[in-house]
Amino acid sequence: MPARARRLLLALLGGVLLLAGLAYLLNRPSTPDEPAAAGTPTASPPTAGTSSPAPTSPGPPVRLPPLHAGFDYQLGGPYPPAAGVEIVVRDRTAPAVNGLYNVCYVNAFQAQPDEQDQWDQDLLLKDKAGKTVIDEDWDEPLLDLRTAGKRQRIATKVNGWIDGCAASGYQAIEPDNYDSYTRSKNLLTADQAKEFLTLLATHAHQRNLAIGQKNTADLAADRKSVGLDFAVSEECGQYDECAAYADAFGNHVLVIEYTAAGLRKACDAFGNKLSIVRRDLDVTPPGTPDHLRETC
């Protein structure tokens, strides 16, 4: 064979071998000690002592108050619950009761009279004359919910109390004075109240706490959009509002009456469905002159 032809044949064979080698390298699986070809996605092996992250799953659902249960409202001071009581409401500063369903009271929309100085003064609602707006019945300044920024700042403080309730063993939160907008000289609105309460509900659920709507029957129909789980109603029997709460919350309603007539009306209509108690107006503990607790 002429030398020129032989060189041409060798060059062709070399090209074939080169292509075959490249095909082998590209199709051969990478070994643990050899990186994959550039541009090929690889899975990082687990580091010793660690595991692959598990898929994120929602936390456990919040536990709701038992239906049609023995109930006591102990805001005036804690005391041993009577036999048959399954649900007890206490102030956030009081301990929870082992073995019962505990609801933690927080004054979320107004400042306690003795805690007014603990709030930034711009978070207290002022009227056009610059005077603090007061709930005259309880001598409590209203909190200013008019801007998103102020709502967030107030929620940060109240959510700290909610954290304390969770740490103390409570199962639920009762944020009081949802209806403060009705006492605000038209400075606050229902929408602002709902937006603020949604912040608290979101945080309570993150702590696996249920959260109740306190009074404010006019807003009961909005409970799902706000994120509320049950209701706490004062005198719904007295004022014929129990049905509004029962319809919205599926009988997960705690009723406090302060008069014999109110108790009778609540018990006649809902005594076999809701958790109902009559208390003295100052919800005082036993041993005090005005203490009163009655049930259906």
Side-chain angles (χ1 to χ4, degrees), residues 66-289:
L67 290 168
H68 187 224
F71 167 48
D72 202 0
Y73 203 60
Q74 298 188 1
L75 298 189
Y79 53 87
V85 169
E86 299 179 52
I87 306 169
V88 63
V89 178
R90 288 180 168 181
D91 186 78
R92 63 183 175 83
T93 60
V97 183
N98 289 334
L100 299 187
Y101 189 93
N102 297 271
V103 181
C104 188
Y105 171 95
V106 295
N107 194 354
F109 288 76
Q110 298 179 180
Q112 297 286 109
D114 58 349
E115 295 179 354
Q116 180 173 344
D117 292 341
Q118 298 175 22
W119 287 92
D120 292 340
Q121 294 304 294
D122 69 310
L123 296 181
L124 303 180
L125 184 65
K126 305 292 196 304
D127 61 19
K128 294 180 180 179
K131 185 178 179 181
T132 301
V133 179
I134 302 290
D135 177 345
E136 301 293 345
D137 287 340
W138 299 100
D139 194 30
E140 294 178 351
L142 275 62
L143 299 174
D144 190 347
L145 310 175
R146 289 178 292 182
T147 69
K150 287 186 176 182
R151 289 192 292 272
Q152 185 59 63
R153 288 168 60 199
I154 296 168
T156 297
K157 186 178 184 73
V158 177
N159 285 341
W161 299 340
I162 291 174
D163 291 341
C165 295
S168 295
Y170 283 86
Q171 287 75 46
I173 304 297
E174 178 201 329
D176 199 9
N177 292 308
Y178 188 22
D179 59 353
S180 69
Y181 68 92
T182 66
R183 301 182 288 277
S184 70
K185 300 181 179 180
N186 296 319
L187 295 172
L188 301 177
T189 68
D191 285 343
Q192 291 163 355
K194 289 188 288 185
E195 289 170 6
F196 172 64
L197 192 50
T198 298
L199 297 176
L200 305 186
T202 300
H203 187 79
H205 290 156
Q206 289 171 349
R207 300 306 307 268
N208 294 325
L209 297 172
I211 184 166
Q213 173 173 324
K214 177 67 173 291
N215 298 328
T216 328
D218 289 345
L219 302 186
D222 299 316
R223 47 94 37 157
K224 289 185 179 179
S225 63
V226 177
L228 303 172
D229 304 302
F230 65 99
V232 181
S233 172
E234 292 176 299
E235 300 189 284
C236 69
Q238 182 75 25
Y239 296 107
D240 299 316
E241 295 177 333
C242 295
Y245 296 109
D247 290 346
F249 290 92
N251 292 340
H252 284 286
V253 183
L254 311 182
V255 178
I256 309 99
E257 298 292 338
Y258 297 111
T259 66
L263 179 66
R264 183 172 60 254
K265 289 173 67 176
C267 292
D268 287 349
F270 293 95
N272 63 346
K273 297 179 181 179
L274 310 183
S275 302
I276 302 171
V277 69
R278 180 189 174 193
R279 288 303 324 269
D280 57 283
L281 188 58
D282 292 324
V283 288
T284 56
T288 56

